[in-house]
Amino acid sequence: MTPIAAGIVGSFLLLLLLFLGMPIAFVMMFVGFLGISYLASVHAALPVVANTVYETAAYYPYTIIPLFILMGAFAGGAGITAKLYGSFDKWFRKLPGGLGIATIAASAFFAALSGSSVAAAAAMGTIAIPEMRRFKYDPALAVGVVAAGGTLSFLIPPSLGFVVYGMLTEQSIGKLLVSGILPGLVLSLSFIAVIVVKVKLNPVLAPVTPGHVSWKEKIRALGGVWETMLVFFIVMGGIYLGFVNPTEAGAIGATALFVIVISKLKLTWRGLSTALVEATRISVLVLFLVAGANVFSYFLALSTIPASVSAWMASLQISPYAVLSLIVLIYVMLGCFLDAISMMVLTMPVIFPVVKTLGFDPIWFGVVCVMMMEAGLITPPVGLNVYTLAGVVKDVPMATIFRGSMPFLCAMIGVVILITIFPGIALYLPSMMGR
Amino acid sequence: MGWGEVKQGIRRVNFIVCAIGMAMVIPLMLLTFADVMLRGFFNKPIPGTFELSQYILAIFILLGAAYTQQVRGHVGVDFVTSRLSPRLRVYCEILTTLLSLFIIAIVIWQGWVEGITEKAVSDQLRIPQYPFRVLVAVGGFLLWLELLIDLFGAFGKLRRNEP
């Protein structure tokens, strides 16, 4: 077999075992090991897996993962979600679909403290959905808003999505995180636009919430927002100005939120151990996936597939934007079946060299990728946010949640197109960063 | 002592081991925080923060691997297998678990061989690297036991379905 043929056989074996249900990290290690044994030698292949596992598990920049997860868990434990929701409700009550807008705004702000999206969807689900249903909102709209709002955690830093992308492509995690700020804002606004347009077209979907809010109350409600803003500005400001590296910023953010939880006397053993178990589970999952991906990439590099595919793509003389559209389409489809992080880990070894050859900016492509990861969280049949929500609101069928999320999925695609036309939305802030 | 008790024992050990690793995340957080503060305000960073962080991360991840398998944390794809007949699904589970056991066995073996011969020490505090490298074998072994429980569980399902 030529190396390329071996690479193709290996990739098919990977897909087969994947569909048989083998954990993705172990599949990549296993196939990578077989491939390296074949293309190099068994002797060379034997130590690769164990060494990769150690090097991944003891790599300083990855300490950011548990820290980001702790940030989200402490923020949830401190009751910040409910406070944000209460504040924004006061501000947006009179707008069409006001509670929905408040949900998106609160999700966006919570996203500024949390790196993982499922926690956000679950936390917001228990607060916002009962409220929206109490005021007779259409169930599909209510759950759709929460599912979509939860995905914002992936784009608005701190974000696990950018960390994983940065790990796989060796791009600066700090720049990636900063690049997510403006697109995150644009996406939140486009979600709000979706709600406003839907409710304007069909006011029955969201009856106006009764009750007048005075300006005094509105000003006082801002008190629920300042902690979030403060922590966000310290964390992202520190990274932006180059005072701290992203890991240190994560530690500062987590410590600050830890202090907030303690000062509110809301730290319980149970809460702390749940937070730590969550941090462990996600960190181990991510780092084993990355270790698997590194083993598999080594095999693919030996097979010369990434280089050949890139060369072939470049020789095709078709517009890079046609290839990009194809990649986005592939991600939308993969997102239907794979969870966000596995999708990145499985595709990046081949897709990233292609994207670089086509001349796209790696940081900009990171934003596109993270948005595609977000889309995967709400597409049927296995959108993770939808599953989480289905667990929280037991009386709304899963199909309704998917139907409710569809308009927001379209908004995501719209924003991807927008940042393709105006890459500055993603690249302006990182280009100004201090070093 | 029956298999049930052994199984419970293994799971319990894996949880405790994971809890040990887990408990080190808070010190990791505070250490990094303190390092930044002391560096920023007094220009006196804590020596070795970088390498201590790396070692703590290694303990945390490697000791958590088995427990993560216990709670089905290592994700897989189930939209094909969930459509198969229960019997076929168990066959898939047995095959994939055997392959996982194989690759993790190699990780344990090589983790031990590579770990025990490691001579490197950390840059500032001169802490030897080998105990942490050996954790690859230790964590791998606990993960292997967890997979073994899954394998026996799958065989059990197969036996119970027999007419």
Side-chain angles (χ1 to χ4, degrees), chain A residues 12-341:
Chain A
F12 273 106
L13 181 63
L14 176 97
L15 283 180
L16 176 73
L17 292 175
L18 214 65
F19 288 145
L20 291 182
M22 188 162 164
I24 296 172
F26 304 154
V27 178
M28 286 191 292
M29 289 176 187
F30 176 70
V31 177
F33 169 73
L34 290 188
I36 299 167
S37 304
Y38 181 80
L39 291 175
S41 69
V42 180
H43 191 70
L46 277 174
V48 170
V49 188
N51 284 344
T52 311
V53 167
Y54 179 76
E55 277 146 25
T56 314
Y59 188 52
Y60 173 77
Y62 298 167
T63 26
I64 197 172
I65 298 173
L67 294 172
F68 273 6
I69 297 164
L70 282 186
M71 279 181 71
F74 290 151
I80 286 182
T81 347
K83 246 165 102 180
L84 287 171
Y85 185 73
S87 302
F88 288 118
D89 169 40
K90 292 207 173 61
W91 277 85
F92 297 129
R93 192 170 290 180
K94 288 291 161 245
L95 293 176
L99 288 174
I101 298 176
T103 309
I104 295 292
S107 301
F109 272 73
F110 187 71
L113 298 178
S114 166
S116 85
S117 129
V118 173
M124 210 46 89
T126 49
I127 296 160
I129 290 178
E131 245 346 66
M132 284 194 267
R133 302 192 74 180
R134 191 153 72 86
F135 291 103
K136 303 277 180 291
Y137 271 50
D138 176 55
L141 179 69
V143 288
V145 166
V146 175
T151 68
L152 289 171
S153 285
F154 248 72
L155 188 58
I156 297 176
S159 149
L160 219 50
F162 283 120
V163 174
V164 173
Y165 177 85
M167 286 156 112
L168 294 168
T169 59
E170 295 177 338
Q171 297 299 312
S172 149
I173 290 175
K175 281 195 172 178
L176 284 165
L177 291 171
V178 169
S179 75
I181 296 176
L182 287 182
L185 209 60
V186 172
L187 188 63
S188 314
L189 291 175
S190 71
F191 284 173
I192 289 176
V194 168
I195 299 173
V196 172
V197 169
K198 271 190 80 125
V199 175
K200 278 274 179 211
L201 290 177
N202 187 3
V204 187
L205 289 178
V208 178
T209 318
H212 179 73
V213 185
S214 69
W215 276 101
K216 207 170 141 196
E217 278 179 89
K218 281 188 188 177
I219 303 291
R220 195 176 302 146
L222 286 179
V225 179
W226 73 269
E227 285 162 334
T228 308
M229 298 297 283
L230 184 70
V231 174
F232 178 75
F233 279 118
I234 293 174
V235 170
M236 290 316 293
I239 296 177
Y240 191 81
L241 298 173
F243 283 140
V244 290
N245 66 37
T247 303
E248 291 168 343
I252 294 172
T255 310
L257 288 164
F258 189 54
V259 171
I260 291 177
V261 181
I262 292 176
S263 68
K264 291 191 171 164
L265 303 176
K266 282 195 171 153
L267 186 74
T268 55
W269 258 118
R270 207 188 152 74
L272 183 63
S273 70
T274 314
L276 287 173
V277 167
E278 186 67 5
T280 312
R281 193 178 61 80
I282 298 180
S283 310
V284 171
L285 157 71
V286 170
L287 288 184
F288 266 72
L289 276 172
V290 170
N294 288 347
V295 175
F296 190 70
S297 299
Y298 183 20
F299 159 52
L300 275 188
L302 288 177
S303 79
T304 70
I305 282 186
S308 315
V309 174
S310 306
W312 176 68
M313 281 285 184
S315 73
L316 278 182
Q317 302 290 337
I318 48 175
S319 156
Y321 292 100
V323 181
L324 181 73
S325 313
L326 187 68
I327 292 175
V328 168
L329 190 69
I330 291 174
Y331 276 150
V332 171
M333 290 192 307
L334 282 178
C336 295
F337 301 103
L338 291 171
D339 74 279
I341 290 167

Side-chain angles (χ1 to χ4, degrees), chain A residues 17-26 29-30 33-34 45-51 53-63 66-67 70 74 243-245 247-252 254-256 258 272-273 276-277 279-285 287-289 337-339 342 381-382, chain B residues 15 18 22-23 25-26 28-30 32-33 35-37 39 49-51 53-55 57-62 64-69 71-81 83-84 92-93 95-97 99-100 102-104 106-111 114 129 132-133 136 143 147:
Chain A
L17 292 175
L18 214 65
F19 288 145
L20 291 182
M22 188 162 164
I24 296 172
F26 304 154
M29 289 176 187
F30 176 70
F33 169 73
L34 290 188
L46 277 174
V48 170
V49 188
N51 284 344
V53 167
Y54 179 76
E55 277 146 25
T56 314
Y59 188 52
Y60 173 77
Y62 298 167
T63 26
L67 294 172
L70 282 186
F74 290 151
F243 283 140
V244 290
N245 66 37
T247 303
E248 291 168 343
I252 294 172
T255 310
F258 189 54
L272 183 63
S273 70
L276 287 173
V277 167
T280 312
R281 193 178 61 80
I282 298 180
S283 310
V284 171
L285 157 71
L287 288 184
F288 266 72
L289 276 172
F337 301 103
L338 291 171
D339 74 279
S342 311
V382 288
Chain B
F15 177 72
C18 170
M22 197 163 95
V25 179
I26 299 289
L28 169 74
M29 173 184 96
L30 296 174
T32 310
F33 177 76
D35 177 55
V36 175
M37 290 300 139
R39 189 184 69 203
T49 301
F50 185 84
E51 51 204 60
S53 301
Q54 287 190 329
Y55 285 152
L57 184 69
I59 298 173
F60 169 64
I61 295 296
L62 297 170
Y67 180 72
T68 303
Q69 175 64 25
V71 294
R72 291 283 174 274
H74 293 289
V75 290
V77 175
D78 66 351
F79 72 92
V80 174
T81 46
R83 283 166 177 73
L84 299 175
C92 287
E93 203 182 322
L95 174 71
T96 57
T97 310
L99 295 179
S100 303
F102 168 75
I103 193 68
I104 299 303
I106 289 182
V107 171
I108 301 167
W109 169 36
Q110 289 297 317
E114 295 278 312
Q129 211 184 77
F132 302 95
R133 283 209 172 245
V136 173
L143 173 60
L147 287 163

Side-chain angles (χ1 to χ4, degrees), chain B residues 7-26:
Chain B
K7 189 168 95 176
Q8 285 311 316
I10 293 173
R11 296 213 144 156
R12 181 127 201 93
V13 168
N14 281 344
F15 177 72
I16 293 168
V17 165
C18 170
I20 294 171
M22 197 163 95
M24 304 193 71
V25 179
I26 299 289

